[in-house]
Amino acid sequence: DVKVTQSSRYLVKRTGEKVFLECVQDMDHENMFWYRQDPGLGLRLIYFSYDVKMKEKGDIPEGYSVSREKKERFSLILESASTNQTSMYLCASSLSLLSGTEAFFGQGTRLTVV
Amino acid sequence: GENVEQHPSTLSVQEGDSAVIKCTYSDSASNYFPWYKQELGKGPQLIIDIRSNVGEKKDQRIAVTLNKTAKHFSLHITETQPEDSAVYFCAASTGSGGSYIPTFGRGTSLIVHP
């Protein structure tokens, strides 16, 4: 079974802190994604990566950055956390083929910024 | 970019009834349409998917239909059970720089009353 593991289920951080959310997948997938989930807004794409060291902005990249130094690991960085970044963060991975493929999700990290 | 609309946002049914969730998409180049189920405290998981060269697909009590001309697709659940209660997301995958990126609808909270 594909496994996508997010390093924390719950995090509480202070405003202005630099926050790292880590995600690891074990199926050699090329694509990795970070989504943010808010009630009534669904899943919104923050950043995605299709290869090591490659990254592309999604729909809501402001206030975030990412790092992919190894194929299996994709990190989301909040440079200076703010209260409006309180949310559920979901990491996902998928194979890269000539058409869309299933995305496998981690269990999510619920981040609270106080 | 792709835009996916999903309706209804909440759906309440009696056990044994059928449930239908509808989505529309905007990008005619989208070619893969998955449906995900998210249970409380978990990440979304794929339950069924359909590709653009297929009009209908069925798996036991769930089925998906796709109308490419009208750019809409639907999830049908028959003989609903309490364990079907969850949030359901539709998605449409569109090519971006050689990768396929899923864009999600806002989700439908399905409640099945025993």
Side-chain angles (χ1 to χ4, degrees):
Chain A
D1 278 353
V2 174
K3 198 163 186 182
V4 179
T5 304
Q6 294 182 229
S7 54
S8 304
R9 290 294 302 270
Y10 301 95
L11 273 180
V12 180
K13 297 291 181 180
R14 294 195 179 278
T15 302
E17 275 194 80
K18 190 168 186 175
V19 181
F20 293 85
L21 303 184
E22 307 285 347
C23 175
V24 177
Q25 52 97 0
D26 65 359
M27 280 301 289
D28 205 34
H29 285 171
E30 294 85 3
N31 299 327
M32 294 190 76
F33 311 87
W34 276 106
Y35 289 91
R36 173 175 169 159
Q37 181 175 14
D38 298 290
L41 297 180
L43 305 176
R44 293 181 292 166
L45 183 64
I46 305 171
Y47 267 96
F48 72 94
S49 169
Y50 54 89
D51 202 350
V52 175
K53 296 191 186 295
M54 306 305 289
K55 59 186 179 184
E56 295 286 344
K57 292 180 181 178
D59 299 318
I60 51 165
E62 296 79 17
Y64 304 94
S65 62
V66 290
S67 172
R68 193 168 181 197
E69 296 297 318
K70 293 185 177 181
K71 191 174 184 180
E72 66 271 19
R73 188 178 296 269
F74 192 36
S75 302
L76 179 69
I77 303 153
L78 285 67
E79 298 291 343
S80 177
S82 65
T83 54
N84 63 12
Q85 292 178 309
T86 291
S87 187
M88 171 69 86
Y89 291 87
L90 288 164
C91 174
S93 71
S94 71
L95 276 172
S96 183
L97 297 176
L98 293 177
S99 61
T101 58
E102 176 183 359
F104 293 85
F105 285 86
Q107 78 278 25
T109 296
R110 185 163 294 282
L111 173 68
T112 302
V113 182
V114 298
Chain B
E2 176 66 281
N3 183 48
V4 177
E5 299 282 343
Q6 180 172 349
H7 299 280
S9 56
T10 305
L11 181 57
S12 184
V13 301
Q14 288 296 129
E15 183 176 359
D17 287 351
S18 293
V20 180
I21 303 170
K22 298 184 179 183
C23 288
T24 60
Y25 62 99
S26 61
D27 190 341
S28 56
S30 289
N31 63 6
Y32 175 65
F33 306 91
W35 286 87
Y36 293 84
K37 177 182 181 182
Q38 185 178 29
E39 297 175 334
L40 207 59
K42 297 184 179 180
Q45 275 197 301
L46 182 78
I47 55 170
I48 195 167
D49 55 15
I50 192 167
R51 296 195 179 275
S52 56
N53 57 349
V54 175
E56 185 174 354
K57 184 176 177 181
K58 191 173 180 182
D59 182 5
Q60 297 183 1
R61 295 187 298 110
I62 59 173
V64 58
T65 58
L66 171 65
N67 183 327
K68 281 176 57 180
T69 305
K71 295 200 196 102
H72 67 70
F73 56 115
S74 301
L75 177 72
H76 305 252
I77 306 174
T78 58
E79 300 171 23
T80 53
Q81 300 166 4
E83 52 264 39
D84 294 329
S85 296
V87 178
Y88 292 80
F89 292 97
C90 63
S93 279
T94 309
S96 175
S99 296
Y100 280 82
I101 312 303
T103 299
F104 289 84
R106 294 192 174 196
T108 297
S109 178
L110 173 64
I111 304 163
V112 180
H113 299 281

